[in-house]
Structure formats: structure tokens, C-alpha cells
Amino acid sequence: HRRTGKFILNGIRNHYGHLFDKDMDTLTGADIKAWFYDKQEKGLSRVTITREFRAFKAMLNHAARPADDSKPVLAINPLSGVRLPEKTLADRETEDASEKDAEKKRNIIPESVKEQIRKGLDLFADYIQTQRRNSREHGKAHLTDLDDVDYPHWFIPFTHIAWLTGMRPGDIRNMRWENILHNRFNGQTLLNFTPSKTKDKGESPAKVQFPVHGELQDLLNKWRNQNGNPQSGHVFPSNNPRGSGIIDKKAYRRHWIRVKKLGGAPDDLDFYCFRHNFISQLVLQGAPVLAIARLVGHKDGTMISRNYFHLGNQDAADIVAKF
């Protein structure tokens, strides 16, 4: 797994390291049950437990039936027929509560909260400009004056892109100027990219072609000009010479906490709210499900139909009445 292989292997080591001294052929369902109840007792969610178990089984499957031409390490996967214990009533109640909590997050951001976010971004810009002013006045005059630029900090355009496109934070971090292509024949500009979440899924991962115009185009033009009109490289490059070239996820999360605090937005408001808001707004406006799916990087409309279309009693009554 090009993107997440190291993460998956670390998970296997952390969760199943206690079994590594055993001959893998001797593993049984009893080993997995003991592991399951131990993790459950330690408070791990069933979703996490299931994910880690699937990763372990996938490794054993590969050992028995390698995807390449290498020689099998195991004759068979000893856990091929082993399943996790059935869900209890408590498990189902926990899942229901979790789903209800997730549903609340998939709504449109209220206007009052939008105002809090805008206020937070404005105050954040003021804070950054004040910090720079103080630095320039105390021996660091070589630093760029931020009072006359459109965006005193990269997190401000970063947030607006999330708001205007519904892009996942990881995809905004990975954005490159080469992804923005202008077609001189039809005059249309498109943001083309393959979502990071789907890059490793199958031979034909979902791709996004997002129209760039209006407020989004204005924002990108200003940010490009502010940074010397680059034609390639990351839109939000990292200043860390030893890094991967993209901004660390901890950085945007840290700034998001500050913006929420400055604007008085709810503490539990996740940055992912912009994606939920984008999809919910389009659903409310009656946009075709497949069109929404293509804009947000889904291969089909299944997930959007399942999670964002809430048919209430009145909606059902109106539909039947119209029919």
C-alpha cells in the first residue's frame, strides 16, 4: 500500500506483537477471541478492532496466497474461517449513538456559526499581522510586511478552499499548482486531482474535476500572485526542508483550534464540517447525486444517498401529494 502500508504494518505490530513468537500455522480462533476481549476491555471501539483484525487477516492471506509470484510462506491462512464475536446489544446501542452523532455533523453549518468562523479568521489575520509587525520593529526588518497582503497566513485561504469546494483537508494539503488547468478552447479552468483516500483503491480510483471560477478563482489568483506566481509545486508548501513538501496535518488542526477560539465557534466543530456543509447544501438545492459525488471524489452516489438524504414525514407526504 503506497500511501498507508507503513501505518497498517505498525498497527499489526502494535495489536498482534504478542503473537509473533508463535508459529503462525498454530493460530486459532481462541487467540483472536482473547485479543478481542482484551481490546474491548481497554475501550477500543468495535470499528477499530474490526479494522485491525482485517489487516491481520489480509497479511496472513498474502502469506498463504501471495499476489505476486513469490513462494507462499503458509500453506493456508489459519484464520480464514475465524470471525469476531457477534455484536452484543450494548455494541448495537453504541453504534446507534455514534451514527446519530455523525448525522448531526452532516448538516449545513448554521449562519450564526458561519459568522463565528468568519470572525475567527479575521481576528486570526489581525493576530498574525500584529506578530509580524512586532518582529519587524524589534530587529527583524527583513521579514515580509504582512499588512498589505491579501492573506497574512496560509491557513486563511486553506480554510476558504475547504468551504468553497468541500475538499478533504488531506487533499488541500496535497494540492499542486499543476492540478489547476485552463482550457483555452472553452475558457474553462478545472482543478483536477485524485483524492488521497481513493488513490490505492483499485485500478480506477475516483477522480475530481472541480470547476474553478468566481470566488474560488479569485482566491487562487490572489494566493498565487502573493507567492510569486508559481506554476508548479504545492499550493501550500511546507517550510520544513526535511519534510515531504506538504504542510503537516497537525499544523492546520492547531490553527483551526485558534480560529474557533477567537471567533467563539463551538469547540467540537471539526474542520471536516466544511465538507459536510458543501454536500448538504448541494443536496438541499436539489443537485443530482452523481454530480455531487463527482465533485467530492466519490465513484458513485451510494454514500451520499445513504448519509445526506434525510426523508422526514413531511417530505414523504409532500412527495406522495405531488404524485
mmCIF file of all heavy atoms in Angstrom, residues 31-77:
data_model
loop_
_atom_site.group_PDB
_atom_site.id
_atom_site.type_symbol
_atom_site.label_atom_id
_atom_site.label_comp_id
_atom_site.label_asym_id
_atom_site.label_seq_id
_atom_site.Cartn_x
_atom_site.Cartn_y
_atom_site.Cartn_z
ATOM 1 N N ASP A 31 -7.142 -17.506 20.056
ATOM 2 C CA ASP A 31 -6.176 -16.398 20.146
ATOM 3 C C ASP A 31 -6.851 -15.068 19.813
ATOM 4 O O ASP A 31 -6.601 -14.050 20.466
ATOM 5 C CB ASP A 31 -5.018 -16.627 19.168
ATOM 6 C CG ASP A 31 -4.175 -17.838 19.537
ATOM 7 O OD1 ASP A 31 -3.762 -17.923 20.710
ATOM 8 O OD2 ASP A 31 -3.929 -18.677 18.659
ATOM 9 N N ILE A 32 -7.692 -15.098 18.800
ATOM 10 C CA ILE A 32 -8.374 -13.880 18.365
ATOM 11 C C ILE A 32 -9.434 -13.453 19.376
ATOM 12 O O ILE A 32 -9.589 -12.268 19.658
ATOM 13 C CB ILE A 32 -9.000 -14.082 16.970
ATOM 14 C CG1 ILE A 32 -7.906 -14.375 15.952
ATOM 15 C CG2 ILE A 32 -9.809 -12.861 16.551
ATOM 16 C CD1 ILE A 32 -6.784 -13.341 15.902
ATOM 17 N N LYS A 33 -10.140 -14.420 19.947
ATOM 18 C CA LYS A 33 -11.151 -14.073 20.965
ATOM 19 C C LYS A 33 -10.496 -13.417 22.165
ATOM 20 O O LYS A 33 -10.991 -12.419 22.701
ATOM 21 C CB LYS A 33 -11.908 -15.330 21.396
ATOM 22 C CG LYS A 33 -13.086 -15.680 20.515
ATOM 23 C CD LYS A 33 -13.922 -16.792 21.143
ATOM 24 C CE LYS A 33 -15.150 -17.073 20.283
ATOM 25 N NZ LYS A 33 -15.981 -18.159 20.862
ATOM 26 N N ALA A 34 -9.373 -13.986 22.614
ATOM 27 C CA ALA A 34 -8.661 -13.409 23.766
ATOM 28 C C ALA A 34 -8.215 -11.991 23.441
ATOM 29 O O ALA A 34 -8.342 -11.082 24.264
ATOM 30 C CB ALA A 34 -7.460 -14.286 24.116
ATOM 31 N N TRP A 35 -7.693 -11.795 22.218
ATOM 32 C CA TRP A 35 -7.263 -10.459 21.789
ATOM 33 C C TRP A 35 -8.457 -9.508 21.726
ATOM 34 O O TRP A 35 -8.384 -8.364 22.183
ATOM 35 C CB TRP A 35 -6.603 -10.566 20.412
ATOM 36 C CG TRP A 35 -6.357 -9.246 19.769
ATOM 37 C CD1 TRP A 35 -5.327 -8.391 20.016
ATOM 38 C CD2 TRP A 35 -7.179 -8.612 18.778
ATOM 39 N NE1 TRP A 35 -5.448 -7.268 19.242
ATOM 40 C CE2 TRP A 35 -6.572 -7.370 18.473
ATOM 41 C CE3 TRP A 35 -8.349 -8.964 18.128
ATOM 42 C CZ2 TRP A 35 -7.110 -6.490 17.537
ATOM 43 C CZ3 TRP A 35 -8.889 -8.093 17.196
ATOM 44 C CH2 TRP A 35 -8.275 -6.878 16.906
ATOM 45 N N PHE A 36 -9.568 -9.977 21.176
ATOM 46 C CA PHE A 36 -10.770 -9.160 21.019
ATOM 47 C C PHE A 36 -11.265 -8.640 22.369
ATOM 48 O O PHE A 36 -11.497 -7.437 22.539
ATOM 49 C CB PHE A 36 -11.862 -9.979 20.336
ATOM 50 C CG PHE A 36 -13.211 -9.292 20.307
ATOM 51 C CD1 PHE A 36 -13.507 -8.347 19.337
ATOM 52 C CD2 PHE A 36 -14.178 -9.591 21.264
ATOM 53 C CE1 PHE A 36 -14.735 -7.712 19.308
ATOM 54 C CE2 PHE A 36 -15.418 -8.957 21.241
ATOM 55 C CZ PHE A 36 -15.697 -8.018 20.262
ATOM 56 N N TYR A 37 -11.416 -9.555 23.329
ATOM 57 C CA TYR A 37 -11.959 -9.147 24.633
ATOM 58 C C TYR A 37 -10.982 -8.246 25.392
ATOM 59 O O TYR A 37 -11.405 -7.353 26.141
ATOM 60 C CB TYR A 37 -12.328 -10.375 25.464
ATOM 61 C CG TYR A 37 -13.540 -11.096 24.913
ATOM 62 C CD1 TYR A 37 -13.461 -12.426 24.504
ATOM 63 C CD2 TYR A 37 -14.758 -10.429 24.777
ATOM 64 C CE1 TYR A 37 -14.584 -13.080 23.983
ATOM 65 C CE2 TYR A 37 -15.873 -11.071 24.258
ATOM 66 C CZ TYR A 37 -15.775 -12.397 23.859
ATOM 67 O OH TYR A 37 -16.886 -13.033 23.339
ATOM 68 N N ASP A 38 -9.685 -8.459 25.173
ATOM 69 C CA ASP A 38 -8.689 -7.595 25.811
ATOM 70 C C ASP A 38 -8.798 -6.170 25.270
ATOM 71 O O ASP A 38 -8.803 -5.201 26.036
ATOM 72 C CB ASP A 38 -7.289 -8.150 25.549
ATOM 73 C CG ASP A 38 -6.198 -7.231 26.095
ATOM 74 O OD1 ASP A 38 -6.155 -7.040 27.327
ATOM 75 O OD2 ASP A 38 -5.411 -6.697 25.286
ATOM 76 N N LYS A 39 -8.912 -6.028 23.943
ATOM 77 C CA LYS A 39 -9.020 -4.711 23.329
ATOM 78 C C LYS A 39 -10.342 -4.029 23.700
ATOM 79 O O LYS A 39 -10.397 -2.828 23.926
ATOM 80 C CB LYS A 39 -8.902 -4.812 21.809
ATOM 81 C CG LYS A 39 -7.545 -5.291 21.335
ATOM 82 C CD LYS A 39 -6.441 -4.331 21.765
ATOM 83 C CE LYS A 39 -5.075 -4.827 21.355
ATOM 84 N NZ LYS A 39 -3.988 -3.942 21.839
ATOM 85 N N GLN A 40 -11.390 -4.829 23.748
ATOM 86 C CA GLN A 40 -12.698 -4.274 24.114
ATOM 87 C C GLN A 40 -12.689 -3.757 25.542
ATOM 88 O O GLN A 40 -13.236 -2.693 25.841
ATOM 89 C CB GLN A 40 -13.769 -5.354 23.946
ATOM 90 C CG GLN A 40 -15.184 -4.799 23.871
ATOM 91 C CD GLN A 40 -16.194 -5.873 23.570
ATOM 92 O OE1 GLN A 40 -16.243 -6.910 24.239
ATOM 93 N NE2 GLN A 40 -17.022 -5.646 22.560
ATOM 94 N N GLU A 41 -12.031 -4.506 26.423
ATOM 95 C CA GLU A 41 -11.939 -4.101 27.834
ATOM 96 C C GLU A 41 -11.132 -2.815 27.977
ATOM 97 O O GLU A 41 -11.391 -2.007 28.872
ATOM 98 C CB GLU A 41 -11.271 -5.228 28.636
ATOM 99 C CG GLU A 41 -11.377 -5.035 30.141
ATOM 100 C CD GLU A 41 -10.828 -6.256 30.898
ATOM 101 O OE1 GLU A 41 -11.117 -7.393 30.508
ATOM 102 O OE2 GLU A 41 -10.093 -6.022 31.875
ATOM 103 N N LYS A 42 -10.175 -2.599 27.060
ATOM 104 C CA LYS A 42 -9.342 -1.399 27.116
ATOM 105 C C LYS A 42 -10.020 -0.191 26.465
ATOM 106 O O LYS A 42 -9.432 0.885 26.383
ATOM 107 C CB LYS A 42 -8.000 -1.673 26.454
ATOM 108 C CG LYS A 42 -7.114 -2.607 27.279
ATOM 109 C CD LYS A 42 -5.806 -2.916 26.572
ATOM 110 C CE LYS A 42 -4.944 -3.827 27.440
ATOM 111 N NZ LYS A 42 -3.705 -4.241 26.744
ATOM 112 N N GLY A 43 -11.259 -0.391 25.975
ATOM 113 C CA GLY A 43 -12.030 0.729 25.458
ATOM 114 C C GLY A 43 -11.934 0.966 23.967
ATOM 115 O O GLY A 43 -12.424 1.984 23.466
ATOM 116 N N LEU A 44 -11.304 0.049 23.221
ATOM 117 C CA LEU A 44 -11.209 0.214 21.771
ATOM 118 C C LEU A 44 -12.579 0.016 21.140
ATOM 119 O O LEU A 44 -13.328 -0.880 21.523
ATOM 120 C CB LEU A 44 -10.225 -0.807 21.192
ATOM 121 C CG LEU A 44 -9.109 -0.242 20.318
ATOM 122 C CD1 LEU A 44 -8.194 0.629 21.176
ATOM 123 C CD2 LEU A 44 -8.311 -1.355 19.680
ATOM 124 N N SER A 45 -12.930 0.855 20.177
ATOM 125 C CA SER A 45 -14.230 0.725 19.517
ATOM 126 C C SER A 45 -14.240 -0.514 18.630
ATOM 127 O O SER A 45 -13.193 -0.981 18.169
ATOM 128 C CB SER A 45 -14.518 1.962 18.660
ATOM 129 O OG SER A 45 -13.673 1.982 17.528
ATOM 130 N N ARG A 46 -15.436 -1.023 18.378
ATOM 131 C CA ARG A 46 -15.547 -2.212 17.538
ATOM 132 C C ARG A 46 -15.070 -1.912 16.112
ATOM 133 O O ARG A 46 -14.515 -2.785 15.439
ATOM 134 C CB ARG A 46 -16.989 -2.721 17.524
ATOM 135 C CG ARG A 46 -17.082 -4.080 16.817
ATOM 136 C CD ARG A 46 -18.446 -4.700 16.870
ATOM 137 N NE ARG A 46 -18.421 -5.986 16.187
ATOM 138 C CZ ARG A 46 -18.369 -7.165 16.778
ATOM 139 N NH1 ARG A 46 -18.325 -7.244 18.095
ATOM 140 N NH2 ARG A 46 -18.360 -8.284 16.077
ATOM 141 N N VAL A 47 -15.297 -0.688 15.658
ATOM 142 C CA VAL A 47 -14.845 -0.310 14.312
ATOM 143 C C VAL A 47 -13.326 -0.457 14.204
ATOM 144 O O VAL A 47 -12.807 -1.019 13.228
ATOM 145 C CB VAL A 47 -15.261 1.146 13.992
ATOM 146 C CG1 VAL A 47 -14.617 1.615 12.696
ATOM 147 C CG2 VAL A 47 -16.767 1.255 13.894
ATOM 148 N N THR A 48 -12.609 0.031 15.216
ATOM 149 C CA THR A 48 -11.145 -0.063 15.217
ATOM 150 C C THR A 48 -10.693 -1.507 15.317
ATOM 151 O O THR A 48 -9.779 -1.941 14.601
ATOM 152 C CB THR A 48 -10.562 0.753 16.391
ATOM 153 O OG1 THR A 48 -10.974 2.105 16.270
ATOM 154 C CG2 THR A 48 -9.042 0.689 16.396
ATOM 155 N N ILE A 49 -11.335 -2.271 16.201
ATOM 156 C CA ILE A 49 -10.982 -3.687 16.376
ATOM 157 C C ILE A 49 -11.177 -4.438 15.066
ATOM 158 O O ILE A 49 -10.323 -5.225 14.642
ATOM 159 C CB ILE A 49 -11.838 -4.322 17.500
ATOM 160 C CG1 ILE A 49 -11.447 -3.730 18.859
ATOM 161 C CG2 ILE A 49 -11.669 -5.834 17.519
ATOM 162 C CD1 ILE A 49 -12.340 -4.173 20.013
ATOM 163 N N THR A 50 -12.300 -4.188 14.400
ATOM 164 C CA THR A 50 -12.588 -4.860 13.133
ATOM 165 C C THR A 50 -11.557 -4.499 12.077
ATOM 166 O O THR A 50 -11.079 -5.360 11.325
ATOM 167 C CB THR A 50 -13.997 -4.469 12.633
ATOM 168 O OG1 THR A 50 -14.963 -4.834 13.625
ATOM 169 C CG2 THR A 50 -14.330 -5.172 11.334
ATOM 170 N N ARG A 51 -11.199 -3.220 12.007
ATOM 171 C CA ARG A 51 -10.218 -2.771 11.018
ATOM 172 C C ARG A 51 -8.870 -3.465 11.226
ATOM 173 O O ARG A 51 -8.246 -3.953 10.275
ATOM 174 C CB ARG A 51 -10.043 -1.257 11.101
ATOM 175 C CG ARG A 51 -9.085 -0.698 10.055
ATOM 176 C CD ARG A 51 -8.839 0.783 10.258
ATOM 177 N NE ARG A 51 -8.106 1.029 11.477
ATOM 178 C CZ ARG A 51 -8.448 1.942 12.386
ATOM 179 N NH1 ARG A 51 -9.522 2.696 12.208
ATOM 180 N NH2 ARG A 51 -7.730 2.114 13.475
ATOM 181 N N GLU A 52 -8.422 -3.541 12.497
ATOM 182 C CA GLU A 52 -7.125 -4.159 12.786
ATOM 183 C C GLU A 52 -7.156 -5.658 12.523
ATOM 184 O O GLU A 52 -6.163 -6.244 12.073
ATOM 185 C CB GLU A 52 -6.723 -3.878 14.241
ATOM 186 C CG GLU A 52 -6.566 -2.399 14.587
ATOM 187 C CD GLU A 52 -5.524 -1.702 13.717
ATOM 188 O OE1 GLU A 52 -4.639 -2.375 13.150
ATOM 189 O OE2 GLU A 52 -5.603 -0.462 13.590
ATOM 190 N N PHE A 53 -8.294 -6.311 12.795
ATOM 191 C CA PHE A 53 -8.412 -7.747 12.537
ATOM 192 C C PHE A 53 -8.355 -8.024 11.030
ATOM 193 O O PHE A 53 -7.712 -8.974 10.580
ATOM 194 C CB PHE A 53 -9.719 -8.277 13.143
ATOM 195 C CG PHE A 53 -9.920 -9.756 12.937
ATOM 196 C CD1 PHE A 53 -8.934 -10.665 13.298
ATOM 197 C CD2 PHE A 53 -11.095 -10.245 12.382
ATOM 198 C CE1 PHE A 53 -9.106 -12.037 13.113
ATOM 199 C CE2 PHE A 53 -11.286 -11.612 12.187
ATOM 200 C CZ PHE A 53 -10.284 -12.509 12.551
ATOM 201 N N ARG A 54 -9.021 -7.180 10.245
ATOM 202 C CA ARG A 54 -8.997 -7.352 8.785
ATOM 203 C C ARG A 54 -7.578 -7.192 8.236
ATOM 204 O O ARG A 54 -7.168 -7.910 7.318
ATOM 205 C CB ARG A 54 -9.926 -6.338 8.126
ATOM 206 C CG ARG A 54 -11.404 -6.683 8.256
ATOM 207 C CD ARG A 54 -12.262 -5.573 7.688
ATOM 208 N NE ARG A 54 -13.680 -5.906 7.755
ATOM 209 C CZ ARG A 54 -14.659 -5.030 7.567
ATOM 210 N NH1 ARG A 54 -14.369 -3.760 7.300
ATOM 211 N NH2 ARG A 54 -15.925 -5.403 7.636
ATOM 212 N N ALA A 55 -6.842 -6.245 8.796
ATOM 213 C CA ALA A 55 -5.462 -6.030 8.345
ATOM 214 C C ALA A 55 -4.603 -7.258 8.638
ATOM 215 O O ALA A 55 -3.798 -7.689 7.795
ATOM 216 C CB ALA A 55 -4.878 -4.796 9.033
ATOM 217 N N PHE A 56 -4.783 -7.841 9.819
ATOM 218 C CA PHE A 56 -4.018 -9.029 10.215
ATOM 219 C C PHE A 56 -4.365 -10.208 9.313
ATOM 220 O O PHE A 56 -3.490 -10.933 8.828
ATOM 221 C CB PHE A 56 -4.314 -9.353 11.678
ATOM 222 C CG PHE A 56 -3.417 -10.408 12.271
ATOM 223 C CD1 PHE A 56 -2.042 -10.372 12.069
ATOM 224 C CD2 PHE A 56 -3.937 -11.433 13.048
ATOM 225 C CE1 PHE A 56 -1.207 -11.334 12.622
ATOM 226 C CE2 PHE A 56 -3.115 -12.401 13.604
ATOM 227 C CZ PHE A 56 -1.735 -12.344 13.394
ATOM 228 N N LYS A 57 -5.656 -10.398 9.051
ATOM 229 C CA LYS A 57 -6.090 -11.492 8.180
ATOM 230 C C LYS A 57 -5.578 -11.284 6.748
ATOM 231 O O LYS A 57 -5.208 -12.238 6.061
ATOM 232 C CB LYS A 57 -7.619 -11.613 8.169
ATOM 233 C CG LYS A 57 -8.190 -12.275 9.406
ATOM 234 C CD LYS A 57 -9.688 -12.489 9.301
ATOM 235 C CE LYS A 57 -10.033 -13.645 8.384
ATOM 236 N NZ LYS A 57 -11.481 -13.970 8.442
ATOM 237 N N ALA A 58 -5.564 -10.034 6.306
ATOM 238 C CA ALA A 58 -5.070 -9.738 4.957
ATOM 239 C C ALA A 58 -3.593 -10.107 4.836
ATOM 240 O O ALA A 58 -3.152 -10.627 3.799
ATOM 241 C CB ALA A 58 -5.270 -8.257 4.637
ATOM 242 N N MET A 59 -2.822 -9.851 5.894
ATOM 243 C CA MET A 59 -1.406 -10.216 5.891
ATOM 244 C C MET A 59 -1.245 -11.733 5.787
ATOM 245 O O MET A 59 -0.431 -12.243 5.014
ATOM 246 C CB MET A 59 -0.721 -9.695 7.157
ATOM 247 C CG MET A 59 0.777 -9.963 7.183
ATOM 248 S SD MET A 59 1.562 -9.479 8.738
ATOM 249 C CE MET A 59 0.960 -10.792 9.814
ATOM 250 N N LEU A 60 -2.056 -12.468 6.563
ATOM 251 C CA LEU A 60 -1.979 -13.924 6.533
ATOM 252 C C LEU A 60 -2.456 -14.479 5.190
ATOM 253 O O LEU A 60 -1.928 -15.480 4.696
ATOM 254 C CB LEU A 60 -2.814 -14.514 7.682
ATOM 255 C CG LEU A 60 -2.297 -14.186 9.094
ATOM 256 C CD1 LEU A 60 -3.277 -14.678 10.159
ATOM 257 C CD2 LEU A 60 -0.922 -14.812 9.320
ATOM 258 N N ASN A 61 -3.461 -13.823 4.597
ATOM 259 C CA ASN A 61 -3.918 -14.233 3.265
ATOM 260 C C ASN A 61 -2.783 -14.098 2.250
ATOM 261 O O ASN A 61 -2.575 -14.957 1.388
ATOM 262 C CB ASN A 61 -5.102 -13.372 2.810
ATOM 263 C CG ASN A 61 -6.420 -13.844 3.396
ATOM 264 O OD1 ASN A 61 -6.577 -15.018 3.733
ATOM 265 N ND2 ASN A 61 -7.363 -12.935 3.525
ATOM 266 N N HIS A 62 -2.055 -12.994 2.357
ATOM 267 C CA HIS A 62 -0.951 -12.754 1.434
ATOM 268 C C HIS A 62 0.161 -13.778 1.657
ATOM 269 O O HIS A 62 0.834 -14.208 0.710
ATOM 270 C CB HIS A 62 -0.404 -11.340 1.615
ATOM 271 C CG HIS A 62 0.717 -11.007 0.687
ATOM 272 N ND1 HIS A 62 0.529 -10.815 -0.667
ATOM 273 C CD2 HIS A 62 2.052 -10.867 0.910
ATOM 274 C CE1 HIS A 62 1.701 -10.552 -1.243
ATOM 275 N NE2 HIS A 62 2.637 -10.582 -0.305
ATOM 276 N N ALA A 63 0.368 -14.172 2.933
ATOM 277 C CA ALA A 63 1.400 -15.168 3.248
ATOM 278 C C ALA A 63 1.058 -16.526 2.634
ATOM 279 O O ALA A 63 1.940 -17.276 2.218
ATOM 280 C CB ALA A 63 1.551 -15.301 4.759
ATOM 281 N N ALA A 64 -0.253 -16.823 2.577
ATOM 282 C CA ALA A 64 -0.694 -18.114 2.016
ATOM 283 C C ALA A 64 -0.882 -18.059 0.501
ATOM 284 O O ALA A 64 -0.633 -19.043 -0.202
ATOM 285 C CB ALA A 64 -1.998 -18.548 2.687
ATOM 286 N N ARG A 65 -1.330 -16.891 0.005
ATOM 287 C CA ARG A 65 -1.573 -16.742 -1.432
ATOM 288 C C ARG A 65 -1.011 -15.399 -1.889
ATOM 289 O O ARG A 65 -1.755 -14.430 -2.076
ATOM 290 C CB ARG A 65 -3.067 -16.818 -1.742
ATOM 291 C CG ARG A 65 -3.707 -18.144 -1.389
ATOM 292 C CD ARG A 65 -5.125 -18.233 -1.987
ATOM 293 N NE ARG A 65 -5.977 -17.142 -1.556
ATOM 294 C CZ ARG A 65 -6.653 -17.122 -0.410
ATOM 295 N NH1 ARG A 65 -6.564 -18.137 0.420
ATOM 296 N NH2 ARG A 65 -7.417 -16.092 -0.084
ATOM 297 N N PRO A 66 0.307 -15.322 -2.081
ATOM 298 C CA PRO A 66 0.922 -14.043 -2.475
ATOM 299 C C PRO A 66 0.328 -13.501 -3.770
ATOM 300 O O PRO A 66 0.014 -14.261 -4.676
ATOM 301 C CB PRO A 66 2.399 -14.410 -2.663
ATOM 302 C CG PRO A 66 2.601 -15.651 -1.859
ATOM 303 C CD PRO A 66 1.304 -16.393 -1.949
ATOM 304 N N ALA A 67 0.169 -12.186 -3.809
ATOM 305 C CA ALA A 67 -0.380 -11.551 -5.009
ATOM 306 C C ALA A 67 0.632 -11.569 -6.145
ATOM 307 O O ALA A 67 0.269 -11.501 -7.314
ATOM 308 C CB ALA A 67 -0.793 -10.113 -4.691
ATOM 309 N N ASP A 68 1.920 -11.662 -5.804
ATOM 310 C CA ASP A 68 2.953 -11.723 -6.844
ATOM 311 C C ASP A 68 3.362 -13.189 -7.065
ATOM 312 O O ASP A 68 2.634 -14.103 -6.724
ATOM 313 C CB ASP A 68 4.159 -10.860 -6.442
ATOM 314 C CG ASP A 68 4.614 -11.165 -5.008
ATOM 315 O OD1 ASP A 68 4.359 -12.292 -4.549
ATOM 316 O OD2 ASP A 68 5.209 -10.281 -4.366
ATOM 317 N N ASP A 69 4.543 -13.402 -7.607
ATOM 318 C CA ASP A 69 4.992 -14.771 -7.925
ATOM 319 C C ASP A 69 5.858 -15.383 -6.834
ATOM 320 O O ASP A 69 6.468 -16.431 -7.043
ATOM 321 C CB ASP A 69 5.783 -14.761 -9.245
ATOM 322 C CG ASP A 69 4.919 -14.368 -10.426
ATOM 323 O OD1 ASP A 69 3.717 -14.698 -10.395
ATOM 324 O OD2 ASP A 69 5.444 -13.733 -11.361
ATOM 325 N N SER A 70 5.914 -14.723 -5.672
ATOM 326 C CA SER A 70 6.762 -15.253 -4.611
ATOM 327 C C SER A 70 6.180 -16.530 -4.012
ATOM 328 O O SER A 70 4.987 -16.818 -4.138
ATOM 329 C CB SER A 70 6.958 -14.199 -3.517
ATOM 330 O OG SER A 70 5.706 -13.777 -3.014
ATOM 331 N N LYS A 71 7.040 -17.281 -3.335
ATOM 332 C CA LYS A 71 6.642 -18.562 -2.759
ATOM 333 C C LYS A 71 5.804 -18.344 -1.500
ATOM 334 O O LYS A 71 6.148 -17.512 -0.660
ATOM 335 C CB LYS A 71 7.895 -19.373 -2.416
ATOM 336 C CG LYS A 71 7.600 -20.782 -1.921
ATOM 337 C CD LYS A 71 8.900 -21.506 -1.619
ATOM 338 C CE LYS A 71 8.609 -22.907 -1.066
ATOM 339 N NZ LYS A 71 9.874 -23.633 -0.748
ATOM 340 N N PRO A 72 4.685 -19.077 -1.322
ATOM 341 C CA PRO A 72 3.849 -18.920 -0.119
ATOM 342 C C PRO A 72 4.643 -19.235 1.148
ATOM 343 O O PRO A 72 5.500 -20.123 1.154
ATOM 344 C CB PRO A 72 2.724 -19.933 -0.322
ATOM 345 C CG PRO A 72 2.676 -20.151 -1.796
ATOM 346 C CD PRO A 72 4.090 -20.028 -2.269
ATOM 347 N N VAL A 73 4.364 -18.508 2.196
ATOM 348 C CA VAL A 73 5.011 -18.743 3.492
ATOM 349 C C VAL A 73 4.174 -19.695 4.330
ATOM 350 O O VAL A 73 4.702 -20.476 5.119
ATOM 351 C CB VAL A 73 5.180 -17.389 4.245
ATOM 352 C CG1 VAL A 73 5.813 -17.605 5.604
ATOM 353 C CG2 VAL A 73 6.019 -16.440 3.410
ATOM 354 N N LEU A 74 2.844 -19.643 4.166
ATOM 355 C CA LEU A 74 1.931 -20.533 4.875
ATOM 356 C C LEU A 74 1.180 -21.398 3.869
ATOM 357 O O LEU A 74 0.889 -20.961 2.755
ATOM 358 C CB LEU A 74 0.917 -19.722 5.683
ATOM 359 C CG LEU A 74 1.447 -18.809 6.793
ATOM 360 C CD1 LEU A 74 0.298 -17.997 7.385
ATOM 361 C CD2 LEU A 74 2.137 -19.616 7.882
ATOM 362 N N ALA A 75 0.837 -22.623 4.289
ATOM 363 C CA ALA A 75 0.044 -23.496 3.421
ATOM 364 C C ALA A 75 -1.365 -22.940 3.280
ATOM 365 O O ALA A 75 -1.931 -22.895 2.185
ATOM 366 C CB ALA A 75 0.003 -24.906 4.000
ATOM 367 N N ILE A 76 -1.931 -22.497 4.399
ATOM 368 C CA ILE A 76 -3.257 -21.876 4.398
ATOM 369 C C ILE A 76 -3.271 -20.755 5.440
ATOM 370 O O ILE A 76 -2.403 -20.708 6.312
ATOM 371 C CB ILE A 76 -4.392 -22.882 4.736
ATOM 372 C CG1 ILE A 76 -4.154 -23.491 6.135
ATOM 373 C CG2 ILE A 76 -4.519 -23.955 3.677
ATOM 374 C CD1 ILE A 76 -5.338 -24.286 6.653
ATOM 375 N N ASN A 77 -4.257 -19.898 5.342
ATOM 376 C CA ASN A 77 -4.448 -18.878 6.377
ATOM 377 C C ASN A 77 -5.185 -19.549 7.535
ATOM 378 O O ASN A 77 -6.339 -19.944 7.387
ATOM 379 C CB ASN A 77 -5.287 -17.716 5.824
ATOM 380 C CG ASN A 77 -5.556 -16.642 6.866
ATOM 381 O OD1 ASN A 77 -5.266 -16.811 8.046
ATOM 382 N ND2 ASN A 77 -6.130 -15.529 6.434
#
